[in-house]
Amino acid sequence: TIAGALVAAKSGLQIAHVEAGLRSFNRRMPEEINRIVTDSLSNILFAPTATAVNHLEREGVMGRIVLSGDVMLDSTMYYSNVARKTVDLTEVLGDIPEPFALATVHRAENTDDPERFRAILDAFKEVDMTIVFPVHPRTRNVISMGALSPNVMMIDPVGYLEMLRLVQGARYVLTDSGGLQKEAYWLGTPCITLRDETEWIETLSNRWNQLAGANRRRILACIDEIPSLDTSRPQFGMPMNRLASEVIAESLLPD
């Protein structure tokens, strides 16, 4: 993203940034710097939420801000139906464990920090159900097979439709992914985020997404809270009551 923005700016081209205004306020994350620089260079900024709009206005960006909604919601709602109809989990997992949790861990802050990574795996050992764990290449490079407990089912990375189907079938999700937090929320699957902050604060509504970091006790405490969650989930991602892709396409058309 940042490479394209820099080349376009130096070439005198117009820049439109989709998912503008996201902030974790953690500048140790490579994405955070990329987002700030790209937003500062963009001519039109498509913000997925009102929170993102507020960030951009506070920073005083020069481009035109459009509250577009979230293109990922467009995709999730459409392809979750496709996944439900076309993906057979037995082809992904073999015998489907019931119930199961879904886990992904790939961020450098977790995989490159032995203490954090060990704490996450130690928490997994104490979970009282099977954890389906599609393993990112970054994670596979550092994982020790001896560190995985018998309840962890390590599988190869899966495609988009398969992942949506796994989220639909899971009792809850454990992840350090930004996108998976949203998909879990929209699909009604509780999420525990293995990070200390999130760009998607809307997912924290009614504790459907809980921030646990890499703290073993906190991860397990969040799991224990899941049965008592409020069943309501305020929706977000479609503030204009229209598909974000439609809003973006119309905004890019010449007057």
Side-chain angles (χ1 to χ4, degrees):
T1 299
I2 191 171
L6 287 169
V7 171
K10 292 185 177 184
S11 301
L13 300 175
Q14 296 285 297
I15 302 168
H17 187 200
V18 177
E19 284 197 344
L22 299 184
R23 299 291 182 268
S24 68
F25 301 101
N26 177 2
R27 295 212 173 184
R28 292 171 298 170
M29 287 178 56
E31 299 98 320
E32 186 76 356
I33 303 300
N34 294 351
R35 291 165 179 158
I36 293 169
V37 173
T38 301
D39 285 342
S40 69
L41 295 174
S42 295
N43 303 93
I44 182 168
L45 301 103
F46 293 110
T49 65
T51 300
V53 170
N54 291 338
H55 292 158
L56 294 169
E57 290 177 342
R58 187 165 58 247
E59 292 172 10
V61 296
M62 300 298 291
R64 178 165 66 97
I65 301 169
V66 176
L67 178 59
S68 62
D70 196 326
V71 291
M72 194 168 172
L73 177 58
D74 296 5
S75 177
T76 300
M77 293 300 97
Y78 179 82
Y79 285 105
S80 61
N81 291 325
V82 175
R84 197 180 299 276
K85 294 175 182 177
T86 62
V87 175
D88 182 353
L89 282 183
T90 60
E91 296 180 1
V92 180
L93 302 177
D95 292 334
I96 302 174
E98 290 288 353
F100 70 88
L102 174 66
T104 71
V105 184
H106 74 278
R107 288 193 176 274
E109 66 191 77
N110 287 327
T111 61
D112 293 355
D113 185 325
E115 186 173 337
R116 287 180 66 91
F117 193 55
R118 188 179 308 112
I120 291 170
L121 294 185
D122 284 347
F124 287 3
K125 291 179 181 179
E126 298 186 48
V127 172
D128 62 356
M129 67 178 67
T130 298
I131 298 176
V132 176
F133 189 15
V135 180
H136 188 280
R138 178 199 294 274
T139 310
R140 188 177 292 276
N141 289 337
V142 299
I143 201 167
S144 166
M145 290 303 296
L148 291 178
S149 54
N151 68 313
V152 177
M153 178 188 291
M154 189 169 72
I155 64 174
D156 290 333
V158 297
Y160 178 56
L161 292 179
E162 289 78 11
M163 181 59 80
L164 286 176
R165 193 71 188 94
L166 285 169
V167 174
Q168 290 169 333
R171 181 67 59 86
Y172 54 84
V173 172
L174 300 139
T175 188
D176 57 10
S177 163
L180 202 52
Q181 295 173 53
K182 294 190 294 178
E183 289 168 338
Y185 185 90
W186 288 325
L187 295 174
T189 303
C191 182
I192 297 166
T193 295
L194 308 174
R195 291 171 54 192
D196 300 316
E197 67 283 312
T198 180
E199 303 85 346
W200 301 105
I201 62 172
E202 294 81 5
T203 64
L204 303 178
S205 295
N206 291 344
R207 303 185 65 74
W208 276 81
N209 182 18
Q210 301 180 72
L211 296 177
N215 183 296
R216 181 187 65 83
R217 290 183 180 178
R218 178 62 184 149
I219 293 168
L220 296 173
C222 288
I223 292 172
D224 288 341
E225 291 184 26
I226 288 174
S228 62
L229 289 179
D230 187 323
T231 56
S232 63
R233 300 187 325 281
Q235 288 304 305
F236 76 96
M238 198 177 288
M240 312 307 292
N241 292 318
R242 298 176 59 203
L243 294 176
S245 51
E246 292 179 352
V247 176
I248 291 170
E250 289 183 7
S251 298
L252 293 174
L253 291 173
D255 294 332

